[in-house]
Amino acid sequence: TTDEFLERERVRFSIPAKFTAAAVGTGSTAQKWHPFDMWWREQSKHVKIMDRWNPLRYVVCWPSIAEACSKEKLSRLPEGGKAFIDRRQMSEGMGTEQYSVLHFPMNATKDWRYLGQIASLVLFADAAKERVYKAFFHDAAIYVPEVYDVAAKIVNALGGWSSYVSLHVRRNDIFGLAKARGIEKRMFIPGAQTAKQVA
């Protein structure tokens, strides 16, 4: 959590006391950046701003483009690597190793949004390293306990595990991305058609 990060790293990075979990989690302000974000950007010795990162526009090839993102490698992926054809390939390992923090800022006006799947953010030449990468998010990127507590109460109120089915559907969304890929007409469909397609 943000609170745990600040408690653990405050001394190492000399993070000012005014930046508490509550203070840095207040969302956007009238300023261009949040004060904490501005402060992070000044810590160039420790922090690398990953401001070109976008999982819908880029793909990181590890350890290099030649080894992980060659035409041969992409051809072995589902649908021949179609999802990666329009993305700019990067080898983000260059110039980042010496930093303690890689900061991924969010700015919707510049399309810096993290809507892509974790599994497709990085392409690895080594399958073993890919498994380690995915295991990290499976094991370490978790919700705070309160989320599970509340979810358990809701599930229990609905009759307990295996007593109901839920479906999360996003329709008529992200029009700009759909238009860029020529599929906008397939996205704006009636709810009945969506139900029929997933039945």
Side-chain angles (χ1 to χ4, degrees), residues 168-193:
H168 178 183
V169 179
R170 294 182 65 170
R171 297 189 309 111
N172 308 338
D173 201 357
I174 51 178
F175 181 76
L177 177 63
K179 187 175 182 180
R181 298 193 177 188
I183 60 173
E184 69 274 15
K185 291 182 179 179
R186 286 159 41 195
M187 291 187 66
F188 287 80
I189 59 177
Q193 186 175 341

Side-chain angles (χ1 to χ4, degrees), residues 62 68 73 77-78 84 118-138:
W62 193 270
K73 279 278 187 180
L77 297 174
F84 300 95
I118 292 296
S120 66
L121 296 181
V122 184
L123 291 180
F124 292 87
D126 186 340
K129 289 186 177 180
E130 180 180 0
R131 287 193 293 271
V132 171
Y133 166 76
K134 293 178 179 177
F136 166 77
F137 289 98
H138 179 275

Side-chain angles (χ1 to χ4, degrees), residues 85-174:
I85 292 176
D86 295 330
R87 296 198 206 176
R88 179 178 174 184
Q89 298 174 350
M90 298 189 301
S91 181
E92 200 57 70
M94 297 182 293
T96 60
E97 293 87 348
Q98 73 269 32
Y99 295 97
S100 300
V101 175
L102 301 182
H103 180 45
F104 297 87
M106 197 285 286
N107 186 330
T109 64
K110 293 186 177 181
D111 208 17
W112 297 344
R113 304 173 68 199
Y114 309 106
L115 297 175
Q117 292 293 326
I118 292 296
S120 66
L121 296 181
V122 184
L123 291 180
F124 292 87
D126 186 340
K129 289 186 177 180
E130 180 180 0
R131 287 193 293 271
V132 171
Y133 166 76
K134 293 178 179 177
F136 166 77
F137 289 98
H138 179 275
D139 299 336
I142 58 176
Y143 294 110
V144 295
E146 290 81 2
V147 172
Y148 295 100
D149 293 341
V150 172
K153 292 178 180 178
I154 295 172
V155 170
N156 186 58
L158 292 172
W161 300 111
S162 302
S163 63
Y164 77 101
V165 175
S166 63
L167 179 66
H168 178 183
V169 179
R170 294 182 65 170
R171 297 189 309 111
N172 308 338
D173 201 357
I174 51 178

